[in-house]
Structure formats: C-alpha cells, structure tokens
Amino acid sequence: GAGVSQTPSNKVTEKGKYVELRCDPISGHTALYWYRQSLGQGPEFLIYFQGTGAADDSGLPNDRFFAVRPEGSVSTLKIQRTERGDSAVYLCASSLMGQANTGELFFGEGSRLTVL
Amino acid sequence: GNSVTQMEGPVTLSEEAFLTINCTYTATGYPSLFWYVQYPGEGLQLLLKATKADDKGSNKGFEATYRKETTSFHLEKGSVQVSDSAVYFCASSSNDYKLSFGAGTTVTVRA
C-alpha cells in the first residue's frame, strides 16, 4: 500500500523480554517520527529522524528505548527489558520533511504492545 | 513547552445534532494548532489546522478558530453524521517535528 506500514500490529510479550517494532514510511519521505499512546491518553513524542540521523530523541523515556533508521527509510524501535508500563500503542508517522508545524504527517495504524 | 487540554469524553450524539469539543492550549509564542481524527481501524489523520491567530480551519463540515485571547481552538460541526464517529485529538506544534496532543475525545453518533 501507499501508506505508513507498521509491524507487528499486535505484540504480546513477557516482562523482561526484548521487542522490536518496525515502521515502513511512505516512499520518499525523509522525516520519520515515533509517538507512544498509552491508554486514555494522546500520543506522546518519542523521537524524530531526518534522514538516517535522530534529530531529536528527547522523548525516549529511558535508555531501554532505542530507535534506528540505517538507510533513511525503514525504522525500528527497540525496547530492551520490557516493563508492564511500556504497554501502549506505538505510532509511526512520516512526512516529506519536518512538517509537524503544518500538520502534514501521515500516521500508521500503530503497533499495540502488551507486556504481561 | 507546549501542552493541550481538551474536553473529556465520551460524547454520544444523535445524527444531525450539533457537536462541539473544547480545546485550550498553553505555549510559548504562537503555535500552530490542529485537530486530528482517528476513525475505527485507521491511523491518525489531519482534519483541519490553523497556523496563526484568528485563522479558521475547516474540513468535512468541521470548523475551528484559533483564538489567541482565550488560547482556544474549539472544534464544531453543525450537523453530525454516523460516519463522524471517531476519536478526535487537539494538537499544537511550535517547531517542525514535535506535536503535543490532547488526551482525545471519543465521539459516537447514533442513527
């Protein structure tokens, strides 16, 4: 499809395990964003990539969270030693360039992570 | 930093009723303001936006006006349809990559 693709759509894991969430942005979009949406809350910013580099990772909650985008396209959000509080929907978005101030971000459907 | 507070839901309406969802913001400077919508089974998508004071954003019969004096960006629609059932998020941005979202308001429209 032509939209932002996120896999898996659902992931159930046990506390302490390692998890990877993948985002395939719209072709040609240089900007990529990760947000986290906990139950009953709005999405919260995690990290922003412009090309291959993380331009701002200030939203990552702690050093268990890491994200990469090695070729400037697909991105992987990695969570080590998962905790129950990591349970949330992880949203990925992309845009032609940094465009949060125009709102022209295209969001995927999210990956729902449940940590038991 | 920026933050947004929006009316809590859920909101249940009958078709053709008037909908309003309140949203207020706090920010340094003058952020851009947005309403995003998430339909069942779909990703977040931009509904409308306003980038400066007194701007009115509109789309699909929805409207919101950027009010600097009241720091508000309330969403309104005069006659809702069942297809408007969704979760609505107010958001703001002061730079080109970070959005601050409200908690979301679930709207259900009954036929």
Side-chain angles (χ1 to χ4, degrees), chain A residues 35 42 56 98-100 102-103 109, chain B residues 32 34 36 41 49 96-97 99 102:
Chain A
Y35 283 77
D56 186 337
Q99 287 182 277
T102 66
E109 293 183 35
Chain B
S32 296
F34 312 93
Y36 279 81
K49 65 181 180 182
D96 62 0
Y97 61 86
L99 287 163

Side-chain angles (χ1 to χ4, degrees), chain B residues 22-25 33 65-74:
Chain B
N22 290 343
C23 172
T24 57
Y25 69 90
L33 300 174
T65 301
Y66 191 140
R67 302 282 188 203
K68 186 177 67 172
E69 61 276 12
T70 53
T71 63
S72 65
F73 192 56
H74 304 322

Side-chain angles (χ1 to χ4, degrees), chain A residues 33 35 37 40-45 48 55-56 58 91 97-109, chain B residues 32 34 36 38 41-46 49 51 87 89 92-104:
Chain A
Y33 319 76
Y35 283 77
Q37 186 173 9
Q41 298 181 25
E44 295 177 305
F45 172 81
Y48 162 62
D56 186 337
S58 63
L91 299 173
M97 58 189 75
Q99 287 182 277
N101 56 354
T102 66
E104 296 297 340
L105 273 60
F106 294 83
F107 282 86
E109 293 183 35
Chain B
S32 296
F34 312 93
Y36 279 81
Q38 187 169 31
E42 298 184 18
L44 273 171
Q45 55 188 273
L46 179 66
K49 65 181 180 182
T51 57
V87 184
F89 293 90
S92 71
S93 179
S94 292
N95 61 32
D96 62 0
Y97 61 86
K98 187 183 291 187
L99 287 163
S100 297
F101 286 91

Side-chain angles (χ1 to χ4, degrees), chain A residues 23-85:
Chain A
C23 173
D24 205 335
I26 293 173
S27 178
H29 281 189
T30 61
L32 187 144
Y33 319 76
W34 283 97
Y35 283 77
R36 179 169 72 170
Q37 186 173 9
S38 300
L39 190 64
Q41 298 181 25
E44 295 177 305
F45 172 81
L46 294 178
I47 187 170
Y48 162 62
F49 287 91
Q50 183 57 254
T52 60
D56 186 337
D57 64 358
S58 63
L60 295 177
N62 52 59
D63 62 6
R64 295 186 297 105
F65 288 74
F66 191 71
V68 296
R69 195 186 185 200
E71 297 178 358
S73 179
V74 171
S75 176
T76 304
L77 179 65
K78 308 181 181 199
I79 310 173
Q80 298 178 318
R81 304 183 304 281
T82 52
E83 300 178 356
R84 293 192 179 87

